[in-house]
Each structure stands twice: as structure tokens, then as C-alpha cells.
Amino acid sequence: MKLLRYGNAGHERPGILDSNGKVRELGSVVSDINGKTLSEESLKKIASLDINSLPLVNEPVRFGACVNNVGKFICIGLNYADHAAESGVAVPAEPVVFMKATSAITGPNDNIIKPRNSTKLDWEVELGIVIGKHASYVELDEAMDYIAGYCVINDVSERNFQLERPGGQWDKGKGCDSFGPIGPYLVTRDEIADPLNLNLWLKVNGKTFQNGSTDQMVFGPQFLVHYLSQFMSLQPGDVISTGTPPGVGLGQKPPIYLNEGDVVELGIEGMGVQKQVVVNAK
């Protein structure tokens, strides 16, 4: 299933994509797409519906983030061997973990806001994991059972804030408003036969910069859920952004960064496409 949220920002309603790629209303079945509605029981209830008989959404649709009320937005750095190489660093022995502010979350086609004093605004297409049930000290062979589904994420980054400002905290360049477009769909786990065999790509102003595969991940979704649950409990609706393939702006020679008016398009095989325009902060 491809679950989604549609409507004006702050007033999104739950929806689902039908077999013809049309948006159907889901509000009579669940109140929202969030941790409370991502349980196995709830997903089975939705799967049992005749999706094509649900009310059709005819008006122009704005997609919101495909999951609401995210408790934790956890990110994994340097998780593709080829991206680590372009960044000039060694492949990590264990996952590099940092947090993105949940206030950074936006719809997949909302504007990217270039922060005040930003000089190195960058892009990163990433596979997102959405947690479906409470996870604590999860065994590796059981970890997939805790994943409700997957989605597209643009881990927008400000490299000057992230890497060059005093203090050494990545979070400063990762959590700005609009730095977490999520969606358009939450694709349930059963639809993704192998999350480590997916093409993911990103274009800026029509030029392809990232064109990779999740088969280059150092640590896959199963291991990441297991690993993270050793350090913190994961809650339904939590999101894990799993890292990016090579081709980010920082890795270009010379580096290329985003400016007002630039258009970013990105997607993952079977999970839909995002499109954002860069605007300056007011």
C-alpha cells in the first residue's frame, strides 16, 4: 500500500493511492497516518478494504509529509561506501548517528528555505524507514518486523553550519526549517521485496547528480533498526533516514551548492518523486 497525507499544511488528511495512481480518502478508516495507525492490526484493516471504492480526491492535491507526529527523526551519516569516499573519510566501523529536528519536516514538494547566512546548501536523496511498533533491544533477525514501511527523504544540509561552524555538531546544519521533506508516500514493507536493491536519484535544475543504489549501503535497514534499538527505544512513527549515495554538492569538483530559484527533483524506485524549489528565508 502507498499511504499518504494530503491537504493544506497543518490540515492534512489521510489518503491512499489506488491501483490507477489516484488519491482516495482514508479519513473514514483512520484519523491520520501516524504512529497510532501504523500497527500491524491497523495496516491489515486498511489492506482489507476495496481501495478503488473509497471516495476519490478530485481537487488539486498537495502532499504533506507521509507520516505525522514524528517523535524522532534519526539520521545515519556516511552509510554508502562510495559517498564516504567522495567525502574523503573512511567507511565507519559502526553507524554514524545524528538527529534532525522534527520541525524540519515538510511535504515532499514544499519549498526548501535557504537559511539566513547560508553559503553551502546541499542535497541528499535517502531511503527513509518508518517504525511500526515499539522497538527496544531488538534482535537482528527480528528487526524487519518493526518496520511499517519506507519513503523518500531529502536530507537537506547546510555544509558550512554542519562542518565549519565552531562546536563540531552536525545537527546545526541538518535541522533547519524545511530540511526534511518526507514522502510523497509511505510504502508499506510488503511492497518492497528488497530494500537493498533500489535505485535512488536526484537532479538539480534538470541535471542528474545522484544516481545510485541502496545495494551500496554499509549498514542496511535491518541492521540499523537492530543497532539503534540498543541505544534508544524506537516508537511507532519514528523515522530513520539511512544515508545518501555519492553526488552531493559537497562532493563536486569544485563543490556546487543550492541558491534561490534552484529546482531539486528526487525519487526512489517504487516510492514516488519529490520536487522542491529553493527560496530565501525571510
Side-chain angles (χ1 to χ4, degrees), residues 25 34 56 58 117 137 145-146 215 219 231 240 265:
E25 296 180 14
N34 55 28
L56 189 64
N58 289 310
N117 304 312
Y137 298 109
D145 295 339
Y146 292 82
D215 66 8
F219 307 105
F231 303 98
I240 304 168
E265 298 171 273

Side-chain angles (χ1 to χ4, degrees), residues 10-75:
H11 301 280
E12 293 92 347
R13 291 169 284 177
I16 189 168
L17 214 64
D18 69 16
S19 60
N20 298 311
K22 302 292 185 181
V23 176
R24 300 278 177 167
E25 296 180 14
L26 205 54
S28 62
V29 184
V30 295
S31 60
D32 203 349
I33 307 299
N34 55 28
K36 291 181 179 180
T37 59
L38 292 177
S39 67
E40 291 182 11
E41 180 181 358
S42 179
L43 292 178
K44 285 180 180 178
K45 179 180 179 181
I46 297 171
S48 70
L49 300 172
D50 178 3
I51 303 301
N52 289 352
S53 70
L54 294 172
L56 189 64
V57 179
N58 289 310
E59 70 263 25
V61 171
R62 170 197 169 267
F63 291 106
C66 60
V67 59
N68 196 22
N69 302 124
V70 175
K72 292 190 287 296
F73 194 170
I74 308 165
C75 298

Side-chain angles (χ1 to χ4, degrees), residues 64-268:
C66 60
V67 59
N68 196 22
N69 302 124
V70 175
K72 292 190 287 296
F73 194 170
I74 308 165
C75 298
I76 308 300
L78 305 171
N79 196 30
Y80 284 68
D82 37 13
H83 173 55
E86 76 168 346
S87 300
V89 297
V91 173
E94 292 190 27
V96 174
V97 180
F98 62 95
M99 297 288 194
K100 219 171 171 74
T102 55
S103 54
I105 294 173
T106 60
N109 304 316
D110 294 343
N111 292 337
I112 294 172
I113 302 171
K114 184 177 182 180
R116 296 178 183 179
N117 304 312
S118 168
T119 58
K120 298 181 178 180
L121 185 63
D122 206 346
W123 57 82
E124 296 187 15
V125 59
E126 306 202 0
L127 174 68
I129 299 169
V130 182
I131 297 297
K133 60 181 178 180
H134 177 90
S136 181
Y137 298 109
V138 173
E139 297 294 336
L140 179 60
D141 62 355
E142 298 175 349
M144 295 299 284
D145 295 339
Y146 292 82
I147 297 174
Y150 303 94
C151 60
V152 181
I153 295 176
N154 187 356
D155 177 17
V156 183
S157 307
E158 214 296 336
R159 303 302 188 187
N160 175 269
F161 295 0
Q162 176 192 357
L163 302 172
E164 299 173 26
R165 295 287 293 267
Q169 296 294 320
W170 279 19
D171 301 52
K172 287 186 281 192
K174 294 287 191 172
C176 303
D177 290 355
S178 80
F179 276 25
I182 297 179
Y185 317 124
L186 189 165
V187 182
T188 51
R189 187 180 75 238
D190 59 291
E191 285 206 11
I192 305 301
D194 184 1
L196 289 176
N197 186 28
L198 299 170
N199 176 252
L200 62 172
W201 57 271
L202 182 144
K203 299 179 181 180
V204 179
N205 299 328
K207 179 180 178 179
T208 298
F209 282 89
Q210 293 187 276
N211 186 17
S213 172
T214 56
D215 66 8
Q216 292 298 303
M217 276 191 190
V218 180
F219 307 105
Q222 182 175 2
F223 181 82
L224 290 173
V225 172
H226 155 72
Y227 180 84
L228 291 169
S229 76
Q230 310 305 307
F231 303 98
M232 65 191 84
S233 62
L234 304 175
Q235 312 299 330
D238 283 354
V239 173
I240 304 168
S241 200
T242 60
T244 197
V248 300
L250 176 66
Q252 305 304 309
K253 301 186 185 303
I256 297 172
Y257 296 111
L258 297 170
N259 290 295
E260 183 180 23
D262 286 339
V263 178
V264 182
E265 298 171 273
L266 59 148
I268 299 177

